[in-house]
Amino acid sequence: MTRPFLLSASLIALASAAGADAFNRIASFPVTANLPEGTGPETETAPEIVAATGDGMMLVYTDSPLGALGFIDLTDPAAPAAAGVMRLDGEPTSVAVAGGHALTGVNTSESFTDPSGKLVAIDIADRAEVAACDLGGQPDAVAIAPDAAFVAVAIENERDEDLNDGVLPQMPAGNVTMFDLDESGLPLCDTRRVADLTGLAEVAPSDPEPEFVAINAAGETIVTLQENNHLVVLSQSGEVLSHFSAGSVDLDGIDATDERGALIFDESQPGRLREPDAVAWIDGDHFATANEGDYEGGSRGWTIWSKDGEVVWDAGTSFEQAIVEIGHYPDKRSDAKGVEPESVAFAEVAGMPMVFVGAERASVVGVYDVSDPAAPTLTQLLPSGVGPEGYAVLAERGLLVTANEGDLIEDGGARAHVMIYEWQSGDAVYPHLTSAGADDLIGWGAISGMVGDGDVIRAVSDSFYGYQPRIFTIDVSATPARIVDAVDVTRAGRPAQKLDLEGITTDGAGGFWLASEGRTERLIPHALIRVDATGEIVDEVALPAELLAHERRFGMEGVTRVDGALWIALQREWGDDPEGHVKLLRYDLESEDWAAVRYPLEPAESGWVGLSEITAHDGFLWIVERDNQIGEAARVKQLTRVALDGLAPAPLGGDLPVVEKEVVRDLLPDLRATGGFVLDKVEGFAVTGDGRAFVSTDNDGVDDHSGETLFFEVDLN
């Protein structure tokens, strides 16, 4: 099902627009804050489609899992407030606002073969149902004409994807149903008219499944038939004015294989059907589609069309490649539809005509200047919550709102959010890190350990990219910081396998020591690995037997070099550690002796607390200590230090001294600074040769994650 709203230029063009006005996120509203009284916090809840009242002070969103409409007070956009929910008799699929009424399509179907639904009008002030019109089928998108003269509803009558592998046709056929509206915005049920869409598409012409509708100022409705790969333009009376195939795109330079856990963009998909989902008018003659795809297609981009069916512009792979550059590429979706552009919207903000394109799997919203529909310019990529579905643009207030349906409660991840962005003077805050400008496309993600190396930072990615362990070079003189090079870690010239790189430090001879966190049941060894400047492994050191005898899952999470020795942070307690204490290991590179101290952890209010990084600088070991909690549940995200002077590690197997730690910086304010929810994994810390210190987060390879990577400078003074 589709949800409303919402590089032809590379991100290097985005970063060069320093000082230009931009959207920046100012707030994130967790919809768990809107659960009805008596509803447990474990209840699944997800905003999909969002609309705003005419004054822009109230948001209304559909919550399919809860079977309700939700309301958010936006009087202060930087502090959105819960305004409650209204339960519905069925599943809300879409919502739009006319006057003081929210018009929502409600699915009441008993089965795929017996679909039903209604268009319900809710008085927003009173939270009361004031009208209901039978739709004769299962609704999807709802659109209101710009002059509020009528409403159009896509009656999808969606197929059973488990029946015959979801192949069309599956009756009954869908249609577009329209109703006139009275002056207050209420639908007049007796004006119902049904636009017959059968016999138009080349794909399953007997079974059109309209997905999305949008209406222009002339009262013309554009309809996407996603599964049929077709587009239809209707008059206000429901007459077919034009229709045409959505066609296909030849995709080159993509990653089309997800099994290998590597970002390799050298594959092609010729003749890929667009299969558009959301659609939005740009002006009276042009509209834009987000080409999400279904079983047979998905072009990984978006298209601008004329209403007579001409392709005016197509993104090709440019949108996806721009997303690759900021680390949001969802590798596990490579063999499917990649970043999966699903939503699209148009608005004029501050005099600029803009198209907003949401990539569902990358959790990114692209902002395009479409002053020239034949040559749109990508101006920003905004970080969204997980799975952006619906958008509202409050142009007069300079606000953009995204509804992000991903509720990852079952995976222990982030809950679903509505996010608010404001058009501001000055630079765009996000991204913090990009590979734009490199000679070749560099994909990256899951940044883990880091080390300063002169005036650059070297970083490694973890086991998510198991077939492509890499060392990245980051230029921190640029804003945003830039990944300028990537070196594969190799064994005998081939990408090394069975590594989980969590730490990196220089070896003093042009190469690096890497810490690989092991996991014996997965045949991943705990090891210190030395590589030369080309990334080739030249030495491997296993953890000693007396330590491995007490192995638990969470192992080495960072490594740093001090005076001929390596110091290593273990993430969690192992079997021989008292509760609340974790080891800092010392490995003497000359004598090959092991010793350790114990580090006292902060108590965990929920989940666990452990270590994520260790870095030697200015006479101290600097340590990242964090819990594994997200959002409002996060309590411990901090930078601490332990003085090297007087530090006396003891041999393994006996009593180990407990160090004194000093908390240097609470990182929670830094993690909230971009207006999003607090991310779980603060994983990297490094100091450059001139004393600049940087912190980074791990985005888990965009797997059950928003994909955001925060990379920011901190003051150590």
Side-chain angles (χ1 to χ4, degrees):
M1 294 167 60
T2 324
R3 334 295 157 200
F5 177 50
L6 294 118
L7 286 135
S8 80
S10 131
L11 265 188
I12 193 166
L14 310 190
S16 68
D21 293 347
F23 280 107
N24 284 312
R25 186 173 51 195
I26 59 172
S28 296
F29 178 83
V31 293
T32 52
N34 230 359
L35 287 172
E37 186 176 351
T39 304
E42 73 284 352
T43 302
E44 183 182 1
T45 177
E48 293 183 87
I49 305 309
V50 63
T53 54
D55 61 4
M57 297 298 172
M58 182 71 73
L59 298 175
V60 186
Y61 64 87
T62 62
D63 190 329
S64 174
L66 202 61
L69 286 184
F71 301 87
I72 302 173
D73 184 340
L74 206 63
T75 303
D76 180 356
V85 299
M86 177 180 174
R87 299 275 193 174
L88 300 171
D89 182 21
E91 175 202 7
T93 61
S94 183
V95 66
V97 172
H101 300 107
L103 306 185
T104 182
V106 179
N107 178 18
T108 58
S109 302
E110 294 185 0
S111 67
F112 292 105
T113 57
D114 186 21
S116 63
K118 55 187 176 180
L119 180 68
V120 175
I122 304 297
D123 186 298
I124 295 173
D126 296 338
R127 310 288 167 82
E129 182 178 317
V130 290
C133 303
D134 180 59
L135 290 172
Q138 171 255 317
D140 197 337
V142 174
I144 294 172
D147 62 0
F150 73 101
V151 59
V153 184
I155 307 299
E156 184 177 12
N157 291 343
E158 63 184 350
R159 70 193 186 281
D160 181 353
E161 296 184 9
D162 294 325
L163 177 64
N164 194 27
D165 292 328
V167 175
L168 298 181
Q170 290 186 24
M171 297 307 182
N175 61 71
V176 171
T177 295
M178 301 175 179
F179 300 93
D180 291 338
L181 303 178
D182 70 14
E183 292 182 355
S184 71
L186 288 176
L188 303 172
C189 298
D190 59 359
T191 65
R192 175 185 172 189
R193 51 198 176 275
V194 176
D196 182 5
L197 305 176
T198 60
L200 303 180
E202 296 176 7
V203 178
S206 64
D207 183 21
E209 289 196 12
E211 192 80 21
F212 210 90
V213 286
I215 306 171
N216 66 13
E220 298 168 328
T221 299
I222 177 66
V223 187
T224 61
L225 308 182
Q226 183 174 17
E227 289 80 2
N228 310 87
N229 196 42
H230 210 74
L231 297 157
V232 181
V233 180
L234 301 172
S235 71
Q236 185 170 337
S237 65
E239 174 190 3
V240 175
L241 299 178
S242 64
H243 69 93
F244 37 88
S245 169
S248 63
V249 179
D250 293 332
L251 298 177
D252 295 309
I254 64 171
D255 186 340
T257 306
D258 68 349
E259 292 86 356
R260 60 194 175 198
L263 298 172
I264 303 173
F265 301 98
D266 61 0
E267 296 177 291
S268 300
Q269 288 180 335
R272 188 74 169 177
L273 300 181
R274 288 189 174 93
E275 293 182 342
D277 190 331
V279 62
W281 287 98
I282 295 174
D283 54 36
D285 296 314
H286 301 92
F287 60 86
T289 59
N291 305 325
E292 178 197 24
D294 199 76
Y295 278 115
E296 302 297 327
S299 73
R300 306 184 180 217
W302 66 287
T303 305
I304 294 179
W305 307 78
S306 68
K307 65 183 181 181
D308 62 3
E310 177 189 359
V311 173
V312 176
W313 179 87
D314 190 276
T317 59
S318 63
F319 181 51
E320 180 167 273
Q321 289 185 353
I323 290 171
V324 168
E325 290 175 339
I326 66 166
H328 278 251
Y329 181 74
D331 187 53
K332 285 194 173 181
R333 302 293 300 175
S334 290
D335 69 341
K337 295 170 282 187
V339 299
E340 209 162 304
E342 183 175 13
S343 49
V344 65
F346 170 81
E348 186 171 304
V349 180
M352 182 187 299
M354 300 179 183
V355 164
F356 306 86
V357 184
E360 180 186 17
R361 299 293 179 172
S363 296
V364 164
V365 179
V367 183
Y368 284 81
D369 177 353
V370 291
S371 298
D372 180 357
T377 301
L378 178 61
T379 62
Q380 281 188 267
L381 290 172
L382 299 173
S384 186
V386 181
E389 279 280 323
Y391 302 78
V393 187
L394 290 62
E396 291 186 359
R397 299 188 72 189
L399 299 176
L400 167 67
V401 178
T402 68
N404 307 281
E405 68 169 344
D407 187 344
L408 305 180
I409 184 172
E410 291 187 0
D411 300 306
R415 304 303 300 271
H417 284 73
V418 170
M419 293 187 170
I420 319 297
Y421 309 78
E422 183 178 60
W423 184 252
Q424 300 175 339
S425 297
D427 297 345
V429 170
Y430 196 83
H432 289 180
L433 185 61
T434 176
S435 65
D439 291 339
D440 297 308
L441 181 64
I442 299 176
W444 61 275
I447 293 295
S448 186
M450 302 198 304
V451 64
D453 186 11
D455 58 358
V456 301
I457 285 176
R458 314 286 187 178
V460 290
S461 53
D462 66 22
S463 63
F464 185 86
Y465 304 106
Y467 287 76
Q468 194 183 47
R470 278 185 153 180
I471 300 170
F472 299 98
T473 300
I474 301 173
D475 175 7
V476 294
S477 68
T479 302
R482 295 189 184 282
I483 294 176
V484 296
D485 192 25
V487 173
D488 290 342
V489 176
T490 57
R491 183 180 284 114
R494 299 180 62 83
Q497 304 294 307
K498 297 298 183 182
L499 298 182
D500 181 4
L501 301 183
E502 297 288 350
I504 179 172
T505 191
T506 57
D507 69 356
F512 304 94
W513 280 100
L514 311 176
S516 179
E517 181 180 23
R519 197 162 176 184
T520 299
E521 74 272 20
R522 296 186 179 179
L523 302 180
I524 301 174
H526 299 274
L528 293 169
I529 298 168
R530 186 180 178 189
V531 299
D532 63 20
T534 70
E536 178 69 14
I537 294 174
V538 295
D539 193 13
E540 299 185 57
V541 178
L543 291 185
E546 58 265 41
L547 184 64
L548 290 175
H550 306 284
E551 176 190 6
R552 288 184 180 169
R553 171 185 166 188
F554 299 93
M556 292 188 289
E557 279 285 320
V559 61
T560 191
R561 183 171 56 88
V562 182
D563 297 332
L566 299 179
W567 280 93
I568 303 112
L570 293 187
Q571 185 175 66
R572 298 272 304 280
E573 303 98 330
W574 278 23
D576 58 341
D577 292 317
E579 184 177 356
H581 291 76
V582 66
K583 293 185 189 71
L584 303 180
L585 302 172
R586 183 182 186 276
Y587 176 68
D588 189 298
L589 291 168
E590 183 175 351
S591 68
E592 301 181 356
D593 291 332
W594 290 86
V597 297
R598 284 198 172 98
Y599 174 101
L601 297 168
E602 298 292 322
E605 290 188 20
S606 59
W608 52 261
V609 172
L611 307 185
S612 286
E613 178 69 291
I614 185 168
T615 298
H617 171 67
D618 197 25
F620 293 89
L621 294 176
W622 300 76
I623 294 166
V624 173
E625 183 179 359
R626 68 170 178 89
D627 59 20
N628 67 334
Q629 300 301 294
I630 292 172
E632 296 303 311
R635 295 290 183 273
V636 180
K637 314 285 185 188
Q638 63 188 23
L639 183 63
T640 72
R641 67 183 186 181
V642 173
L644 282 164
D645 186 28
L647 195 60
L652 297 174
D655 292 335
L656 301 178
V658 177
V659 303
E660 290 188 14
K661 72 179 184 184
E662 174 189 359
V663 177
V664 179
R665 187 182 185 95
D666 179 5
L667 297 173
L668 285 171
D670 298 297
L671 297 173
R672 295 190 180 107
T674 62
F677 53 81
V678 174
L679 299 172
D680 170 16
K681 295 185 176 180
V682 186
E683 295 258 326
F685 175 72
V687 184
T688 62
D690 58 0
R692 298 179 68 193
F694 293 85
V695 175
S696 66
T697 62
D698 176 356
N699 72 0
D700 282 337
V702 205
D703 184 29
D704 288 336
H705 195 286
S706 69
E708 291 184 47
T709 294
L710 303 188
F711 183 93
F712 53 91
E713 188 169 1
V714 295
D715 186 357
L716 300 184
N717 298 319

